[in-house]
């Protein structure tokens, strides 16, 4: 066991500040273990959100030394022996108390997305899809809704354009639906307009912080942007559609 220095943000929507603690840290501990120890021994009213402690529920998102991370998956041995560890709530969403934020804006975005609409049955009365198409959308299904990508995206973090851009988490939900081989819905107009695909300038910050290693930008957002360009800006395709009729899906 060794004493470490932790600076933990304490406060609520009206303001707050960092409080310093010196917990005993043992081998194998993660940041969430240390926060629990602080809660048990020094600050019983410290608010922390967590559930699984296994990197699967997406609840324990915080910023640790300035980087968005899951506290249950951040091992203490990733820091230097004398390094001060600073833990604060994710910046992009309003604080409720201490390390707990109100992430309900994300659930409102989710509700705006048109759900899966199955294609009609084939002539043999069945629906079929190829394994490679399944593999393609499987990646997006790994999302644990930790919202770390939402936290780091500069469009909603620094520019506060929550009114114009749904953020990377919902771009990959849209990608998962749009690329689903059996989906028959058309979401390209909303992706361009209400969901604001044009505001993403593919900096890949979201991909860098995703704990599920989803290639958000290259596999999700860029293909959606390409579909928007095909639909609205490709002159040959526009003429083709005018001459031969509108093709809904891209
Ligand atoms: S790549 Fe796009 S969605 Fe991801 S962080 Fe950058 S601007 Fe945001
Ligand atoms: S895409 Fe990755 S970073 Fe974003 S919410 Fe899902 S799991 Fe978290
Ligand atoms: S507690 Fe579930 S992801 Fe960390």
């Amino acid at each position: 066991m060794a004493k470490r220095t932790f600076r933990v943000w304490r406060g609520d929507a009206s303001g707050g500040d960092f409080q310093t603690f010196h917990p005993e840290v043992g081998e194998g501990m993660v940041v969430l273990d240390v926060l629990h120890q602080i809660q048990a021994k020094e600050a019983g009213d410290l608010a922390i959100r967590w559930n699984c402690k296994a990197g699967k529920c997406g609840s324990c998102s915080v910023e640790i030394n300035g980087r968005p991370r899951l506290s249950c998956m951040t091992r203490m041995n990733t820091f230097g022996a004398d390094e001060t560890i600073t833990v604060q709530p994710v910046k992009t969403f309003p604080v409720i108390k201490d390390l707990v934020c109100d992430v309900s804006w994300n659930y409102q975005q989710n509700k705006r997305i048109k759900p899966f609409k199955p294609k009609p049955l084939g002539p043999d009365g069945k629906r079929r899809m190829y394994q490679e198409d399944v593999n393609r959308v499987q990646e997006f299904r790994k999302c644990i809704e930790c919202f770390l990508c939402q936290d780091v995206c500069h469009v909603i973090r620094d520019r506060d354009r929550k009114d114009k851009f749904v953020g990377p988490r919902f771009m990959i939900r849209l990608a998962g639906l749009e690329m689903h081989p059996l989906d028959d819905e058309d979401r390209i107009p909303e992706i361009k307009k209400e969901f604001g695909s044009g505001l993403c300038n593919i900096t890949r910050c979201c991909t860098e912080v995703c704990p599920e290693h989803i290639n958000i930008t290259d596999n999700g957002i860029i293909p959606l942007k390409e579909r928007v360009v095909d639909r609205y800006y490709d002159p040959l395709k526009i003429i083709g559609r005018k001459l031969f009729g509108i093709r809904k899906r891209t």
Side-chain angles (χ1 to χ4, degrees):
M1 300 287 268
K3 268 206 189 309
R4 301 297 299 267
T5 305
F6 260 66
R7 290 174 71 239
V8 182
W9 195 88
R10 308 290 315 272
D12 55 28
S14 62
D17 206 348
F18 288 96
Q19 188 177 347
T20 302
F21 299 95
H22 297 285
E24 291 278 351
V25 173
E27 211 174 320
M29 284 173 85
V30 293
V31 168
L32 182 60
D33 291 323
V34 184
L35 293 172
H36 279 153
Q37 197 187 107
I38 291 171
Q39 200 181 41
K41 295 190 176 167
E42 298 181 70
D45 61 343
L46 174 65
I48 315 166
R49 187 182 277 139
W50 70 285
N51 274 291
C52 69
K53 204 171 171 281
K56 287 295 159 211
C57 72
S59 309
C60 65
S61 302
V62 285
E63 294 187 12
I64 303 173
N65 287 0
R67 191 178 164 85
R69 288 172 176 272
L70 296 178
S71 64
C72 76
M73 297 305 283
T74 307
R75 294 203 163 273
M76 284 302 297
N77 64 10
T78 54
F79 304 103
D82 298 325
E83 196 174 347
T84 297
I85 291 131
T86 302
V87 189
Q88 61 197 100
V90 292
K91 185 187 163 196
T92 302
F93 302 107
V95 169
I96 298 173
K97 185 176 183 310
D98 301 336
L99 301 178
V100 177
C101 289
D102 176 3
V103 293
S104 55
W105 177 79
N106 293 289
Y107 302 118
Q108 290 157 17
Q109 304 320 301
N110 205 33
K111 283 188 195 157
R112 296 168 65 204
I113 295 173
K114 286 183 204 154
F116 178 79
K117 179 176 156 192
K119 277 187 178 163
L121 297 173
D124 60 356
K126 292 182 179 165
R127 292 188 185 92
R128 287 195 172 78
M129 50 200 222
Y130 293 102
Q131 186 61 45
E132 63 192 35
D133 291 331
V134 176
N135 296 345
R136 195 175 183 206
V137 292
Q138 194 78 11
E139 179 185 13
F140 308 130
R141 307 277 302 187
K142 290 193 300 176
C143 176
I144 58 171
E145 297 212 315
C146 64
F147 305 130
L148 292 178
C149 58
Q150 302 286 86
D151 179 45
V152 83
C153 175
H154 68 96
V155 180
I156 41 187
R157 181 186 178 103
D158 302 322
R159 294 168 60 199
D160 198 19
R161 295 318 307 265
K162 291 193 185 82
D163 57 330
K164 296 280 183 204
F165 184 47
V166 282
R169 187 285 170 263
F170 299 103
M171 291 301 280
I172 60 151
R173 171 149 151 69
L174 286 157
L177 288 162
E178 280 297 303
M179 294 178 199
H180 196 296
L182 297 183
D183 179 71
D184 210 21
E185 189 56 87
D186 178 23
R187 302 172 190 83
I188 297 299
E190 296 100 295
I191 288 170
K192 175 180 183 283
K193 214 171 165 200
E194 291 92 330
F195 299 148
S197 62
L199 284 170
C200 165
N201 55 3
I202 53 175
T203 52
R204 297 187 174 83
C205 313
C206 49
T207 304
E208 277 175 30
V209 299
C210 177
E212 286 295 315
H213 308 293
I214 301 170
N215 198 338
I216 301 171
T217 325
D218 288 34
N219 292 351
I221 298 178
I222 292 176
L224 287 185
K225 279 171 160 288
E226 285 170 350
R227 289 172 187 220
V228 168
V229 169
D230 274 0
R231 175 78 60 90
Y232 291 99
Y233 305 109
D234 183 330
L236 286 180
K237 288 195 177 158
I238 292 170
I239 292 166
R241 275 195 300 271
K242 287 210 164 126
L243 288 176
F244 304 112
I246 295 168
R247 183 170 167 244
K248 287 278 186 198
R249 292 298 304 264
T250 310

